[in-house]
Amino acid sequence: MEKNTSAIYDKNTVEFVTVAAEFCGFLERTGEMKRRSFVDKALKLLPLLYLKASLLPEYAERMDEFDPETFVTEGDYERVRAGVAALMGGNDDYLDVFLDDMAYSDTPIRQTISESLADIYQPVKDFICVYQLGLDRTMNDALVVCREHFEEFWGQRLLNAMRALHDVKYNNRSEAEEEDGASSPVFDADADYTEDDLYEGLETGEDEDYDDYTTK
């Protein structure tokens, strides 16, 4: 009896394909971005990709004995990894405890955001390339393989990368602002401010906010 391939046209599958294609294209355009905008968008895309992957149909079953063809080469992987590494610079490294190697180590293991994102890119891009072929049986098996890899490998990689990117965005904000030429006033807690100084600063801030709002 022929197995059902309806999972490839399931609403959740189609939505995953859309987000996955956007994610892959995003990583392929790192040369056009600054670090802060890259981190901001990555922190929006990654949770969405995780959500859509977690909703992939579980009733899909393999139809062929062998895995679908893969398309991402070592060169493709390295271009993505190197592009992200160059963009992240000194913020690329992070410490990870969710690794199989931790069974033999008492301390976190050094990882990089660039490698984690490339590890996600490879299986997701392979799935997208197979899906674009439009062959039902192959699309079905690629969907199953992608879902299995998500559960066993790249889902955890995604969460680890998000934690590291969150740290870059919120704990290294001053460095990111300096890189992009942004600056913000600093309140010195040890300075001898008078009550008039504080009210003057408050009024100035209100005027600036109002002007910004009315000009949008």
Side-chain angles (χ1 to χ4, degrees):
M1 179 179 177
E2 184 72 13
K3 293 182 179 178
N4 191 351
T5 61
S6 61
I8 62 176
Y9 301 110
D10 185 276
K11 175 178 177 290
N12 289 321
T13 300
V14 174
E15 291 181 353
F16 172 74
V17 170
T18 302
V19 176
E22 173 64 19
F23 171 75
C24 292
F26 167 68
L27 289 185
E28 291 163 358
R29 297 190 301 270
T30 53
E32 306 170 8
M33 290 177 271
K34 290 188 175 182
R35 181 188 302 163
R36 184 163 58 172
S37 60
F38 173 82
V39 171
D40 285 346
K41 184 159 185 178
L43 284 171
K44 294 177 177 66
L45 271 177
L46 287 170
L48 189 57
L49 183 65
Y50 186 94
L51 173 63
K52 296 306 179 183
S54 70
L55 295 174
L56 286 173
E58 296 185 1
Y59 60 83
E61 299 179 359
R62 295 255 198 145
M63 303 185 70
D64 294 318
E65 180 180 355
F66 301 104
D67 286 344
E69 181 182 359
T70 58
F71 292 83
V72 178
T73 66
E74 290 185 11
D76 296 330
Y77 178 98
E78 180 57 23
R79 274 190 292 274
V80 168
R81 190 209 63 76
V84 176
L87 196 59
M88 297 305 300
N91 289 316
D92 195 31
D93 293 354
Y94 69 95
L95 297 178
D96 191 6
V97 297
F98 291 102
L99 292 170
D100 292 338
D101 292 343
M102 278 301 297
Y104 311 101
S105 175
D106 295 329
T107 58
I109 298 173
R110 175 186 171 277
Q111 295 287 293
T112 61
I113 293 171
S114 56
E115 186 173 352
S116 294
L117 294 182
D119 284 344
I120 302 166
Y121 171 85
Q122 185 169 13
V124 172
K125 182 70 173 185
D126 280 337
F127 167 70
I128 291 297
C129 290
V130 172
Y131 199 86
Q132 290 174 336
L133 296 176
L135 304 174
D136 286 5
R137 292 176 65 92
T138 310
M139 293 163 67
N140 178 83
D141 285 5
L143 172 63
V144 175
V145 169
C146 188
R147 189 192 68 211
E148 291 174 349
H149 286 175
F150 165 73
E151 295 171 356
E152 299 167 3
F153 177 67
W154 66 264
Q156 185 64 65
R157 275 281 202 260
L158 186 155
L159 295 173
N160 295 345
M162 275 191 62
R163 177 174 58 82
L165 287 163
H166 177 89
D167 185 67
V168 172
K169 178 176 173 65
Y170 294 104
N171 293 336
N172 297 315
R173 181 176 296 172
S174 60
E175 180 180 339
E177 288 176 346
E178 182 179 348
E179 179 198 59
D180 288 344
S183 61
S184 57
V186 177
F187 180 82
D188 185 355
D190 296 327
D192 294 327
Y193 292 106
T194 66
E195 184 176 355
D196 290 340
D197 290 333
L198 296 177
Y199 277 112
E200 181 180 353
L202 180 61
E203 291 169 358
T204 301
E206 288 176 347
D207 291 342
E208 290 174 352
D209 290 342
Y210 178 77
D211 291 340
D212 289 342
Y213 179 77
T214 55
T215 56
K216 292 181 180 177

